[in-house]
Amino acid sequence: DYDGIQHDYTKKQGLVWQEVFLPEYAPQEWQDREKLWNAVKEVETAKDSRLAREFVVALPIELNREEQIELLQELITDFIQNSFVAEGMCADVAIHDPHPPGHNPHAHIMLTVRPLDEQGNWQYKTEKEYLCMRNGEERGFTAAEFKAAQNERWEKQYPYKVGKKKVYMVPSEADAQGLAR
């Protein structure tokens, strides 16, 4: 929808099987890949945003079509479902076997870059983690955990220049050494 142009792939040959795999809390309308990828594009605001990750899987030509689909479904169940869909990502899977058939069967597995939370809302692509210190102990906190950690007197480390080296330390230690950021 973003560019207002109707993209028609119905004449593209070689598509032999396709399915969309969604987390249980994803909107069921996203079983329609057009709606899924329009929803992905809608949440990405930068013009050069990455919309998906793609795996291309070669399928053995020695297997017939049903065996290729069965093999791919095992891969989806064992790897894609457990590693990505269970973590909130949506997977769009298709088997292509371009002309001549049987020459180069392969599958495209496209995953959304952003996961969904349990309410079906898009999450951040990555989660920041802060490396903090308290009484000589070092520990990492996610951005969500950091507020509570500050209340427990954990300090975030920052980069400081010591000579030509970049050293990470908490502001209180840097102040004691006369360093400024």
Side-chain angles (χ1 to χ4, degrees):
D1 289 343
Y2 75 96
D3 61 3
I5 298 171
Q6 179 73 31
H7 299 273
D8 182 9
Y9 296 101
T10 57
K11 293 186 173 135
K12 187 170 175 106
Q13 296 184 351
L15 178 64
V16 295
W17 182 85
Q18 60 186 355
E19 194 168 339
V20 174
F21 298 87
L22 302 172
E24 61 189 47
Y25 35 82
Q28 287 306 301
E29 67 190 33
W30 290 356
Q31 286 292 339
D32 176 346
R33 65 187 24 82
E34 179 183 344
K35 290 184 171 138
L36 168 64
W37 294 110
N38 277 331
V40 168
K41 183 62 182 157
E42 190 177 297
V43 76
E44 298 297 343
T45 54
K47 67 179 181 179
D48 61 347
S49 290
R50 174 181 244 184
L51 305 178
R53 291 183 181 96
E54 181 182 27
F55 297 97
V56 179
V57 179
L59 298 170
I61 59 174
E62 296 81 11
L63 300 179
N64 66 36
R65 183 71 65 227
E66 291 76 30
E67 292 169 328
Q68 289 172 346
I69 292 170
E70 188 178 310
L71 177 67
L72 185 61
Q73 287 174 326
E74 286 177 29
L75 171 71
I76 290 164
T77 301
D78 292 345
F79 180 60
I80 303 299
Q81 188 73 35
N82 294 333
S83 299
F84 300 105
V85 177
E87 295 298 320
M89 292 179 221
C90 306
D92 184 354
V93 183
I95 294 178
H96 293 145
D97 195 1
H99 193 71
H103 181 2
N104 182 21
H106 60 278
H108 294 266
I109 302 168
M110 292 187 43
L111 299 167
T112 57
V113 177
R114 291 179 185 267
L116 294 168
D117 65 12
E118 288 79 16
Q119 288 75 43
N121 299 315
W122 293 111
Q123 295 299 293
Y124 294 109
K125 291 180 181 180
T126 59
E127 187 171 26
K128 287 185 180 180
E129 188 169 297
Y130 302 109
L131 195 55
C132 300
M133 295 282 293
R134 180 179 73 182
N135 301 328
E137 182 185 354
E138 192 172 65
R139 187 167 157 203
F141 295 97
T142 64
E145 300 167 332
F146 181 63
K147 280 273 192 225
Q150 278 183 306
N151 293 336
E152 295 173 10
R153 305 177 67 73
W154 286 91
E155 289 186 87
K156 189 179 352 174
Q157 296 184 75
Y158 295 95
Y160 294 89
K161 267 202 156 176
V162 178
K164 291 186 177 189
K165 288 176 100 179
K166 184 176 10 174
V167 178
Y168 285 84
M169 63 181 76
V170 296
S172 60
E173 185 181 333
D175 290 343
Q177 294 183 27
L179 299 173
R181 285 189 16 216

